[in-house]
Amino acid sequence: MGTTQLDTVPEPKYWHLKTVLSEALDSEFAVGEILPNERELAARFGVARATLRQALEQLELEGRLQRRRGVGTTVAPPRVGVAVGDAEQAWPGTTADSWQAVDCLEAAPPAAVARLLGTPAGRPVHTVRRIRRTHGQPVAAELLYVPGHSVPGLAAIDTASGAARARTVLRELQRLALEGQDRAVELGSARAEDAKQLDRLPGAPVLLVTTRYFTEGATAAVAVATYRADTCRLTFGETGVQLLAAG
Amino acid sequence: MGTTQLDTVPEPKYWHLKTVLSEALDSEFAVGEILPNERELAARFGVARATLRQALEQLELEGRLQRRRGVGTTVAPPRVGVAVGDAEQAWPGTTADSWQAVDCLEAAPPAAVARLLGTPAGRPVHTVRRIRRTHGQPVAAELLYVPGHSVPGLAAIDTASGAARARTVLRELQRLALEGQDRAVELGSARAEDAKQLDRLPGAPVLLVTTRYFTEGATAAVAVATYRADTCRLTFGETGVQLLAAG
DNA sequence: CAGTGGTCTAGACCACTCG
DNA sequence: GAGTGGTCTAGACCACTGA
């Protein structure tokens, strides 16, 4: 009776380490400060470097740390709140927002996207690449898939290229009446290309936001946005989103 | 010109492994099928077990695999779409939904939650625990924090305990006029207690959904829901959510 | 009990950043 | 070139599952 479940749950070392480090971060370190390097931390705690790294990985996943090869491990600032479902339904690129069109190419979308669009697998569609920045840092990379039949007016002005062409596709989209949209959020790992744009290593954890745009009962476009999971908190909702960001 | 960037990006072994395995999963394995064990897979690919595990971890993160200690590694079914922002604004527990009240205790919320509630740090609040299941599987565990002043009528019926008390708190909440709500989604790792309820190991990646409920301009309650990131895709939006789930 | 995934070690070398 | 984090190895033992 006196013994309260002692040792029935032997806590893994890396878990305990993570707790200790987390508390140290709260009390002894300032945002942006550089931690001792991994070899020294491991020695200080009397564990192998791999074990120490397991703890650091968790803390990075939780947005507490930021690690950069060749530089070091720093204390991360609180996550940035980025509005995803802000305000009314609208086509992408409608207002002066934090997105920036990069370019536009003609390519076959992933099978999952083709399924959402209702286009045959392998059929190329307009693919607009955009990047989103807040406070100068890149937070998201997006691929917007637009089947040719959604923007019939585009054929005549097909000559533009790069960012100009991307903006043209966005402008053509806005001629359509948007009847609704849909979102899904899931965990993923960054493709090599997205990772580069987001200044992360391939495989870094990301939040995938899939948005469907509806017109006349059909899916006119699908966007897949890749948000840095370590630095972002996605905010939804109509009221006072900015309050949560202060957390 | 003939050489197309050969070896300028030496791909890590685990990354290549992940690709190979991913393609094998698509073509050679059925959902639920058990893969060869880690030691054999590592030998088959000629890598150390740790390297093989790094690839498996990524695939699990992406929801492609499911690993269970003492059992084996199985091919995961596609992620389940779970509605988070469904339909109109409503208090939790209003309709017959997929949530199940577990119990209710009086405890001091985490500092971040106290900040959102506007209550002094350390002040205990009603804390309702709920669990959400779909297809029999637990997908989320939630803690709903309700300050005493949000449910003044509760004092008189303070005698109930456990699930009954939880339901009482939910019922009292519904007497208030809900003026709005707010959501944020971010990546986290499962606390030990949540992990147990979700049938995962501590530290497993989860999607944290923070919801604020507003009445009369103030925050009447805050919910923090912990969704299994490996098995769940969170869906938002007003129309045809179920179509995305078919993806 | 045998077999699985989970944890941990003590090394080694590589890729990157920056002075 | 020195120092950092990233990758990789070849072992060992532990915790858990199920027959």
Side-chain angles (χ1 to χ4, degrees):
Chain A
M1 302 299 193
T3 72
T4 53
Q5 279 213 46
L6 207 64
D7 282 24
T8 60
V9 177
E11 200 173 53
K13 274 190 188 178
Y14 77 91
W15 186 259
H16 180 243
L17 249 184
K18 181 193 134 185
T19 309
V20 172
L21 284 170
S22 180
E23 288 165 0
L25 290 181
D26 287 332
S27 59
E28 297 171 34
F29 288 90
V31 167
E33 196 169 344
I34 299 186
L35 267 60
N37 71 57
E38 296 183 350
R39 289 160 179 88
E40 180 177 337
L41 278 178
R44 191 179 297 187
F45 287 106
V47 299
R49 188 174 158 223
T51 304
L52 187 268
R53 277 180 62 79
Q54 210 170 343
L56 293 184
E57 260 150 41
Q58 285 243 352
L59 290 170
E60 191 178 29
L61 200 78
E62 295 174 22
R64 306 289 311 273
L65 292 180
Q66 196 157 348
R67 300 194 286 173
R68 273 177 304 169
R69 169 155 50 177
V71 180
T73 302
T74 57
V75 181
R79 283 190 175 133
V80 189
V82 286
V84 172
D86 58 334
E88 299 310 304
Q89 315 269 344
W91 288 108
T94 302
T95 59
D97 54 12
S98 48
W99 288 98
Q100 178 186 347
V102 175
D103 60 13
C104 175
L105 36 96
E106 205 86 1
V113 172
R115 218 174 301 129
L116 293 178
L117 286 171
T119 58
R123 157 107 102 248
V125 300
H126 303 295
T127 306
V128 176
R129 291 202 302 169
R130 297 197 301 165
I131 190 167
R132 182 171 186 174
R133 298 174 186 277
T134 57
H135 309 94
Q137 302 301 313
V139 292
E142 184 194 67
L143 291 177
L144 174 67
Y145 302 96
V146 185
H149 59 74
S150 291
V151 284
L154 195 66
I157 43 181
D158 222 347
T159 55
S161 69
R165 181 183 168 111
R167 284 189 291 269
T168 304
V169 172
L170 292 175
R171 210 177 313 119
E172 283 297 305
L173 262 186
Q174 288 158 31
R175 301 161 63 103
L176 298 176
L178 180 60
E179 289 183 349
Q181 61 191 45
D182 216 33
R183 274 199 191 81
V185 178
E186 62 188 312
L187 180 59
S189 50
R191 300 175 307 128
E193 189 185 352
D194 293 328
K196 192 169 295 179
Q197 288 192 290
L198 297 177
D199 193 24
R200 297 258 59 199
L201 290 179
V206 292
L207 296 172
L208 293 178
V209 181
T210 306
T211 309
R212 298 191 299 170
Y213 298 93
F214 301 112
T215 60
E216 299 172 6
T219 304
V222 167
V224 179
T226 299
Y227 284 83
R228 283 185 61 154
D230 55 343
T231 57
C232 294
R233 174 177 54 231
L234 309 182
T235 63
F236 298 82
E238 313 70 19
T239 76
V241 170
Q242 67 287 352
L243 286 175
L244 243 186
Chain B
M1 299 302 201
T3 71
T4 54
Q5 280 212 46
L6 206 65
D7 282 23
T8 61
V9 179
E11 200 172 54
K13 273 190 188 177
Y14 78 91
W15 186 261
H16 180 244
L17 247 185
K18 181 194 134 183
T19 310
V20 171
L21 283 169
S22 180
E23 287 164 1
L25 290 181
D26 287 332
S27 60
E28 297 171 34
F29 287 89
V31 167
E33 197 169 343
I34 299 186
L35 267 61
N37 71 55
E38 296 184 351
R39 290 160 179 87
E40 180 176 338
L41 278 177
R44 190 180 298 186
F45 287 105
V47 299
R49 187 174 158 223
T51 304
L52 186 269
R53 276 179 63 82
Q54 211 171 343
L56 294 184
E57 258 150 41
Q58 286 244 352
L59 290 169
E60 191 179 28
L61 201 77
E62 295 174 23
R64 305 288 312 272
L65 291 179
Q66 198 157 348
R67 301 194 286 174
R68 273 177 304 168
R69 169 154 50 176
V71 179
T73 301
T74 58
V75 181
R79 284 195 174 128
V80 189
V82 286
V84 172
D86 58 334
E88 301 309 306
Q89 314 270 345
W91 289 108
T94 302
T95 59
D97 53 12
S98 48
W99 289 98
Q100 178 188 345
V102 175
D103 59 14
C104 175
L105 36 95
E106 204 87 2
V113 171
R115 218 174 301 131
L116 293 177
L117 286 172
T119 58
R123 157 106 104 249
V125 301
H126 303 295
T127 307
V128 175
R129 292 202 302 170
R130 296 198 301 166
I131 190 167
R132 183 173 184 172
R133 300 173 186 277
T134 58
H135 313 322
Q137 301 301 313
V139 292
E142 185 192 68
L143 290 177
L144 174 66
Y145 300 96
V146 185
H149 59 73
S150 291
V151 283
L154 196 66
I157 42 182
D158 220 347
T159 56
S161 71
R165 181 186 170 108
R167 284 189 292 270
T168 303
V169 172
L170 292 175
R171 209 177 314 120
E172 283 297 306
L173 263 185
Q174 286 158 33
R175 301 160 64 102
L176 299 176
L178 180 60
E179 289 183 349
Q181 62 190 45
D182 215 35
R183 273 200 191 80
V185 178
E186 62 188 311
L187 181 59
S189 51
R191 299 177 306 127
E193 188 186 352
D194 293 328
K196 191 169 293 178
Q197 288 192 290
L198 297 176
D199 195 23
R200 298 256 60 198
L201 289 178
V206 293
L207 296 172
L208 293 178
V209 181
T210 305
T211 309
R212 297 191 298 168
Y213 298 94
F214 300 113
T215 59
E216 301 172 5
T219 304
V222 167
V224 179
T226 299
Y227 284 83
R228 283 185 60 154
D230 56 343
T231 58
C232 293
R233 176 176 54 233
L234 309 183
T235 63
F236 298 82
E238 312 69 20
T239 76
V241 171
Q242 67 288 352
L243 285 174
L244 243 187

